[in-house]
Amino acid sequence: MSIVTVQLGQCGNQIGHEVFNAICSDICGTHGLCSKTENESYYDACKERFFSEEESEVPVARAVLVDMEPKVISQTLSIAARSGYWKYGDRSHFCQKQGSGNNWANGYSVHGPRHKEVILNLVQKEAEKCDRLGGFFTIMSMAGGTGSGLGAFVTQCLRDAFPTSFILNHVIWPYGTGEVIVQNYNSVLTLSHLYQSSDALLVHENDVIHKICAQLMNIKQISFRDVNQVIAHQLGSVFQPTYTAESGSHYSRNPLGDLMEMLVPHPEFKMLGLRNIPQMPENSLAYSTFSWPGLIKHLRQMLIANAKMEEGIDWQVRPPRLGSSIPSSHSTNKPLHFNTSIANLVILRGKDTHSVDLGSFQDPSLYASWLSPQDAFKAWKTPRAFNKYEKSATLVSNSQFLLKPLDNVVGKAWNMFASKAYIHQYTKFGIEEEDFLDSFTALEQVISSYTSL
Amino acid sequence: TCLSLPVAVGQCGNQVGCRFWDLALREHAAVNKKGIYDEALSSFFRNVDTRSGGDGPDIYKGKIYSLKARALLIDMEEGVVNEILQGPLRDVFDSKQLITDVSGSGNNWAVGHKLYGYQYRENIVEKLRKTAEHCDCLQCFFIIHSMGGGTGSGLGTFVLNLLEDEFPEVYRFVTSVYPSGEDDVITSPYNSVLAMKELNEHADCVLPIENESLFDIVNKIHQMINSGKLGSTVKQNSLVTSSAGSAKTAQEKPFDAMNNIVANLLLNLTSSARFEGSLNMDLNEISMNLVPFPRLHYLVSSLTPLYTLADVNVPSRRLDQMFSDAFSRDHQLIQADPKHSLYLACALLVRGNVHVSDLRRNIERLKPSLHFVSWNQEGWKTGLCSVPPVGHSHSLLALANNTCVKPTFIELKDKFMKLYKKKAHLHHYLHIDGMEQSCFSEAISSLSDLIEEYSELDATKGGPRIDPPRLQIAI
């Protein structure tokens, strides 16, 4: 099954480009550490998933590029083509000239309806090229105007046009201290709208990735390109082919569907976080060895202690003892800082994955009381190494990972809303105070649901 | 690209405008080595095939033939515009972009606004439409003018009104030179306050400039050069005050250096819209992020660096110094004290080889010493443009929406009242058709209201931070 990627706005297009780069470099590389047949299966599965065969020397990404100003798309197209390994379709993009001015209302209420037909046509064309459509993967930031506002509108349109397809939104959480002053408004509006049409929101926080670049990748002068490359690596580690328990001896063919079905059992809980270990500079890879027990131990502790990366993990945090918690909606017996999960997916890639013991992730105390660990935990594996990492473990988690960031953003947005600052910029384009209130209400509901796990 | 269209009105406006076109050509020539007409160039210039003489068709791609500035030059005196047409920029403009008269406005806002406004309205609209027609997508008008005189102030604000009527969707940015303390135009307070009302009501963003600040910057640079500390290691073309040609400081007119600073401001403001970068910042984003309430749209600008030393590697420390300088009064284009007032919002537009980590490090470093309004504690808007200005490896333009503009407005109000109470020179205004006493009373009232809005915000400074209670959800 194939995935159609929709890249929205500057951020979406810059990241999307790095994702296809990472995927392509992974399959074209010779560091698979597995048999030739394995490599070929992997390659074929990946190609089907992300690239289409067209009359072109290089694979063409299954992607639609959308932006309201031309510079980023123009750059993205030319850099991709220059790589010589892959490219975007010649007519797979749509852009305008004036941008969205960081204004969610402009993106959603003006650009959205105005360009709906053209954009949906592009998506339709891409979808038709797929033998079997596995779903849509949209990439956007919440902070600006296009990715956020137009992105929310496009997601809604996708839902209407493809009611039975899976839609996964990859959402970039902006740096806490501004890239954009109205970023909290834009974020609140985006999240509340996406919650209605999307199947799941997979989140990357700029602050977190920045720290990974600084502390783990040892990058001194961190650029957005560095940040995007780490994000691309993490996404690649999720979406490259794997074997699931059900797929048997073939690479699984329905990654988005499989992911959604097990990670989002309830529509109130759609916020997914991502952790990937190990992460290190490429030139250190050759000198590092890891053991699976070590990696799994770290990953599990990152989950329960809500650590953003493999350094600085709080090892004091422990799951509550089973039987001691009163079955109620208030987790009064859960220890402080303990991150309760709805569902977890662990993806293992590389050497000796078949023998890894993942029992610690099936501990019922990790999960909300209304779930059984059999349903709440799954593992996907492949012996094929990813992106030159001999061993790589990824956790996609539906848990309280994003509770605090969400609460922060809503709090700041509410604070600003109370003073009515900047509201006139939104009402100018048809988003009224009531719309804001609806969005705040929706998100307070999400916060409340995750808090009471 | 979506274009910005400068409209220069009056003597000052056109002198600045002239410097702007000069430096814009230089900036694009430095980046555009192959002589191909590209998107960046097209943001300020049309490419016209003049081989068959006269006004040929517009060429959208390929070789550069003849660059014509996208602009409108308006003056009710001929002196400045004529000089431009006889100088090195003469081929960059044609008569269809000019509106001139001979007698000037006599430093009288009413003459500029009511008399000439009425007289030239149709002409201006027609020429605006023609110029706009050549633009695929028009994002913003830039009015460049001074406040204290008659044409720039009166006719300039008339044009502002006109732009709102004729092109309501296009943003209106105004660069306004406010009269200095020792202004020799006696009626400048009247002209400025009458113009302020128009700016309050019809501009999206105003960048006030004060000659004193420009003068101080020019002096500072002269001192540095002449003190022998820098000697010959200063890159001449990097001076924020220098013209595009080789440094002819001796022949440069005294105001050229000051006007170059303003021209550089405009170049930096539009850089991210013209050139690529990892975090673009268009003009509509500036308006969106820096204007929390419609009338509070006066932005304090600061430019750094003012010059570059040649052959010097730039370690991080120097880069950090650039950020510190942007918050120093030495680099501001108006005399105000933002550090002791309240920030409503702040934008940093960085050009050159600067990374997001540099931005973040410096914001964290500078934040503690600045007071931000309670509902915008992290109110920073940032942009990263890859292409630095000529002669520099990087530069920074800071735009602050800060209550520190209040004293400037209060002073203006006081000067106005001094004249108005005595009814001094009023008859020069009132005898113009369309001018009434109410124009004056409404103008001063508008200014007072603006001052009051700033005062209310100031009153919140340093007060206890009480976050409003969040919405409660029934479980």
Side-chain angles (χ1 to χ4, degrees):
Chain A
M1 272 191 175
S2 311
I3 298 174
V4 172
T5 300
V6 184
Q7 305 178 179
L8 297 145
Q10 173 165 27
C11 174
N13 279 290
Q14 282 174 189
I15 289 182
H17 168 245
E18 295 297 348
V19 171
F20 284 105
N21 258 352
I23 289 174
C24 208
S25 136
D26 178 42
I27 59 175
C28 296
T30 50
H31 308 270
L33 295 183
C34 58
S35 70
K36 189 155 171 277
T37 9
E38 190 68 66
N39 245 334
E40 277 166 10
S41 294
Y42 186 79
Y43 182 93
D44 289 338
C46 173
K47 278 276 306 280
E48 183 203 30
R49 206 172 272 195
F50 294 111
F51 299 92
S52 59
E53 275 314 333
E54 290 176 31
E55 275 140 43
S56 125
E57 294 110 48
V58 291
V60 178
R62 299 187 190 277
V64 176
L65 295 75
V66 179
D67 201 358
M68 293 296 101
E69 66 113 339
K71 295 193 299 293
V72 180
I73 285 187
S74 164
Q75 254 196 313
T76 306
L77 290 174
S78 70
I79 298 178
R82 266 189 273 143
S83 76
Y85 286 107
W86 66 280
K87 64 177 209 176
Y88 286 105
D90 295 326
R91 273 175 286 265
S92 300
H93 61 274
F94 174 72
C95 58
Q96 290 292 276
K97 299 211 174 229
Q98 69 271 64
S100 300
N102 288 165
N103 191 321
W104 194 94
N106 194 8
Y108 185 84
S109 307
V110 178
H111 290 309
R114 193 177 284 172
H115 307 300
K116 174 178 172 174
E117 222 180 289
V118 180
I119 296 174
L120 278 184
N121 274 342
L122 284 179
V123 174
Q124 187 68 43
K125 258 184 30 209
E126 210 51 60
E128 278 163 15
K129 284 191 218 156
C130 306
D131 267 344
R132 284 166 70 204
L133 178 64
F136 299 97
F137 180 60
T138 74
I139 313 179
M140 63 225 274
S141 94
M142 310 195 293
T146 299
S148 73
L150 179 61
F153 185 85
V154 168
T155 303
Q156 215 170 282
C157 294
L158 286 178
R159 174 53 71 221
D160 292 336
F162 302 89
T164 55
S165 291
F166 291 106
I167 302 175
L168 176 64
N169 288 78
H170 180 233
V171 179
I172 299 299
W173 214 266
Y175 286 101
T177 33
E179 300 167 21
V180 169
I181 293 176
V182 291
Q183 62 186 42
N184 297 313
Y185 279 167
N186 292 338
S187 300
V188 164
L189 291 164
T190 303
L191 291 169
S192 59
H193 277 79
L194 286 183
Y195 233 76
Q196 289 166 19
S197 3
S198 174
D199 289 308
L201 279 58
L202 183 60
V203 175
H204 266 112
E205 298 167 76
N206 272 349
D207 280 304
V208 171
I209 306 299
H210 191 103
K211 277 218 188 81
I212 291 178
C213 286
Q215 294 177 235
L216 300 180
M217 312 297 278
N218 282 331
I219 303 173
K220 296 276 175 280
Q221 287 182 303
I222 300 165
S223 64
F224 271 113
R225 189 152 170 263
D226 298 316
V227 171
N228 293 342
Q229 284 177 344
V230 171
I231 292 174
H233 169 86
Q234 296 203 351
L235 288 175
S237 77
V238 175
F239 292 111
Q240 284 294 56
T242 52
Y243 297 97
T244 65
E246 296 82 16
S247 72
S249 56
H250 305 283
Y251 274 113
S252 114
R253 301 200 68 204
N254 189 11
L256 280 187
D258 292 341
L259 191 121
M260 287 330 169
E261 271 163 0
M262 64 100 20
L263 282 176
V264 188
H266 189 294
E268 190 60 23
F269 300 93
K270 289 182 179 174
M271 308 285 300
L272 307 179
L274 220 156
R275 301 284 184 270
N276 168 261
I277 61 170
Q279 294 246 221
M280 68 184 76
E282 195 177 304
N283 47 23
S284 306
L285 280 174
Y287 308 105
S288 317
T289 43
F290 295 89
S291 72
W292 279 120
L295 287 174
I296 299 304
K297 190 162 170 228
H298 275 72
L299 197 60
R300 181 179 183 264
Q301 193 61 22
M302 283 164 74
L303 170 64
I304 60 185
N306 198 354
K308 306 286 191 180
M309 56 180 183
E310 65 241 51
E311 262 178 36
I313 302 175
D314 184 353
W315 291 94
Q316 302 293 335
V317 179
R318 288 249 163 275
R321 260 184 296 130
L322 210 61
S324 62
S325 56
I326 304 161
S328 76
S329 57
H330 299 284
S331 52
T332 42
N333 278 351
K334 295 258 160 76
L336 271 173
H337 311 306
F338 175 75
N339 181 47
T340 309
S341 301
I342 302 252
N344 288 308
L345 169 64
V346 167
I347 303 170
L348 304 176
R349 300 175 182 276
K351 211 161 156 232
D352 303 326
T353 47
H354 53 272
S355 58
V356 181
D357 176 9
L358 290 166
S360 60
F361 275 94
Q362 288 164 308
D363 182 349
S365 62
L366 262 50
Y367 299 93
S369 54
W370 42 274
L371 295 153
S372 77
Q374 288 99 305
D375 298 327
F377 175 74
K378 287 230 181 346
W380 297 352
K381 304 179 188 183
T382 172
R384 210 281 189 178
F386 171 67
N387 206 9
K388 302 178 192 148
Y389 280 80
E390 184 202 55
K391 298 188 181 82
S392 174
T394 301
L395 167 68
V396 187
S397 175
N398 189 346
S399 63
Q400 294 171 318
F401 265 169
L402 292 154
L403 179 51
K404 195 145 169 278
L406 182 59
D407 192 58
N408 275 342
V409 165
V410 173
K412 288 189 213 168
W414 184 247
N415 201 11
M416 188 178 270
F417 183 68
S419 72
K420 298 290 171 280
Y422 299 101
I423 299 298
H424 73 284
Q425 305 270 17
Y426 291 85
T427 52
K428 196 161 70 173
F429 293 106
I431 296 295
E432 306 295 330
E433 279 186 37
E434 262 165 47
D435 300 308
F436 274 92
L437 281 171
D438 288 342
S439 289
F440 279 116
T441 309
L443 292 183
E444 293 286 8
Q445 181 64 61
V446 174
I447 291 172
S448 167
S449 302
Y450 271 102
T451 307
S452 57
L453 278 182
Chain B
T1 6
C2 212
L3 314 176
S4 310
L5 216 138
V7 179
V9 189
Q11 180 178 12
C12 171
N14 280 288
Q15 280 170 341
V16 172
C18 176
R19 302 282 82 244
F20 172 76
W21 293 119
D22 198 27
L23 292 175
L25 278 170
R26 181 181 69 162
E27 183 167 272
H28 283 280
V31 176
N32 190 332
K33 302 290 186 194
K34 296 185 192 158
I36 305 280
Y37 183 66
D38 60 9
E39 288 258 359
L41 253 182
S42 84
S43 61
F44 282 135
F45 299 95
R46 294 163 49 212
N47 186 19
V48 181
D49 186 349
T50 48
R51 282 174 300 180
S52 41
D55 198 24
D58 271 24
I59 317 267
Y60 296 100
K61 281 189 182 168
K63 214 168 63 106
I64 295 172
Y65 283 95
S66 178
L67 291 174
K68 299 281 181 206
R70 300 183 193 276
L72 208 58
L73 276 54
I74 304 176
D75 202 356
M76 296 295 102
E77 272 173 341
E78 293 182 311
V80 176
V81 174
N82 276 346
E83 235 184 276
I84 296 174
L85 293 178
Q86 280 154 24
L89 291 175
R90 59 182 166 276
D91 293 325
V92 170
F93 302 102
D94 65 47
S95 59
K96 299 203 208 67
Q97 301 168 265
L98 311 170
I99 299 175
T100 55
D101 203 313
V102 289
S103 359
S105 305
N107 286 326
N108 186 328
W109 185 94
V111 173
H113 196 98
K114 303 279 185 186
L115 201 98
Y116 285 124
Y118 179 75
Q119 191 175 329
Y120 283 98
R121 187 181 209 282
E122 260 175 61
N123 193 351
I124 296 174
V125 172
E126 196 199 309
K127 294 202 163 151
L128 275 172
R129 292 222 164 274
K130 269 256 135 46
T131 318
E133 248 167 47
H134 289 295
C135 306
D136 240 346
C137 168
L138 190 53
Q139 182 166 93
C140 172
F141 287 108
F142 270 106
I143 294 184
I144 314 170
H145 74 148
S146 70
M147 300 281 279
T151 303
S153 179
L155 188 55
T157 50
F158 178 84
V159 171
L160 178 63
N161 267 277
L162 215 125
L163 291 175
E164 185 169 12
D165 288 338
E166 300 289 323
F167 305 89
E169 319 244 297
V170 181
Y171 285 89
R172 295 173 292 282
F173 272 65
V174 188
T175 307
S176 307
V177 180
Y178 279 68
S180 68
E182 306 113 29
D183 195 338
D184 51 8
V185 175
I186 303 175
T187 50
S188 69
Y190 283 162
N191 297 330
S192 303
V193 172
L194 288 164
M196 273 292 286
K197 174 170 178 290
E198 308 301 317
L199 294 182
N200 282 346
E201 291 174 16
H202 305 290
D204 288 307
C205 264
V206 179
L207 302 166
I209 316 270
E210 285 178 306
N211 274 336
E212 279 121 325
S213 297
L214 300 179
F215 192 64
D216 286 345
I217 291 174
V218 171
N219 274 342
K220 186 171 173 205
I221 292 177
H222 277 162
Q223 269 170 33
M224 284 302 271
I225 296 180
N226 296 331
S227 72
K229 278 192 199 155
L230 301 174
S232 54
T233 55
V234 171
K235 283 198 217 171
Q236 284 299 309
N237 65 355
S238 75
L239 298 176
V240 74
T241 49
S242 73
S243 297
S246 54
K248 353 179 191 77
T249 31
Q251 294 155 290
E252 261 176 10
K253 299 210 294 286
F255 276 101
D256 271 357
M258 289 162 65
N259 291 335
N260 281 329
I261 300 173
V262 184
N264 275 309
L265 165 67
L266 293 175
L267 279 179
N268 286 336
L269 196 57
T270 56
S271 59
S272 187
R274 292 177 288 133
F275 301 116
E276 45 92 13
S278 62
L279 191 57
N280 297 335
M281 180 147 92
D282 274 348
L283 290 160
N284 50 5
E285 294 173 36
I286 292 176
S287 174
M288 174 68 175
N289 284 281
L290 293 178
V291 184
F293 300 101
R295 290 186 347 144
L296 301 182
H297 55 246
Y298 294 86
L299 308 178
V300 178
S301 47
S302 32
L303 280 175
T304 158
L306 302 178
Y307 53 80
T308 303
L309 301 177
D311 308 326
V312 174
N313 273 330
V314 184
S316 248
R317 191 177 41 83
R318 276 262 164 80
L319 195 62
D320 288 10
Q321 184 60 47
M322 179 179 78
F323 281 90
S324 300
D325 284 343
F327 289 89
S328 127
R329 299 183 65 169
D330 283 350
H331 292 254
Q332 282 168 209
L333 303 193
I334 72 165
Q335 313 263 293
D337 192 6
K339 276 199 173 153
H340 292 104
S341 303
L342 198 59
Y343 278 88
L344 305 184
C346 188
L348 299 176
L349 214 171
V350 185
R351 298 180 66 174
N353 190 21
V354 184
H355 303 283
V356 64
S357 52
D358 300 313
L359 252 182
R360 311 208 52 67
R361 179 179 70 252
N362 281 286
I363 290 178
E364 290 307 309
R365 187 174 62 84
L366 293 165
K367 233 172 46 149
S369 61
L370 307 171
H371 306 282
F372 273 81
V373 71
S374 68
W375 41 260
N376 208 0
Q377 289 283 300
E378 283 116 358
W380 297 86
K381 163 70 179 158
T382 55
L384 290 165
C385 170
S386 312
V387 178
V390 174
H392 294 276
S393 56
H394 44 73
S395 75
L396 171 60
L397 163 65
L399 294 172
N401 192 340
N402 187 302
T403 57
C404 68
V405 290
K406 198 177 71 172
T408 306
F409 297 151
I410 291 179
E411 207 185 302
L412 196 58
K413 181 180 170 184
D414 289 343
K415 288 190 179 151
F416 175 96
M417 292 310 292
K418 246 179 159 166
L419 290 176
Y420 192 59
K421 280 199 181 119
K422 294 184 275 180
K423 301 216 192 308
H425 308 283
L426 269 187
H427 57 286
H428 291 305
Y429 292 78
L430 295 175
H431 88 255
I432 302 289
D433 221 359
M435 274 307 275
E436 284 160 21
Q437 191 97 17
S438 60
C439 296
F440 282 84
S441 52
E442 277 166 25
I444 199 64
S445 173
S446 175
L447 182 56
S448 300
D449 286 345
L450 183 68
I451 293 171
E452 182 55 33
E453 264 190 78
Y454 280 112
S455 291
E456 278 170 27
L457 283 164
D458 267 337
T460 67
K461 181 166 167 265
R465 166 89 184 267
I466 307 167
D467 287 341
R470 294 268 290 273
L471 283 177
Q472 295 296 308
I473 300 294
I475 296 185

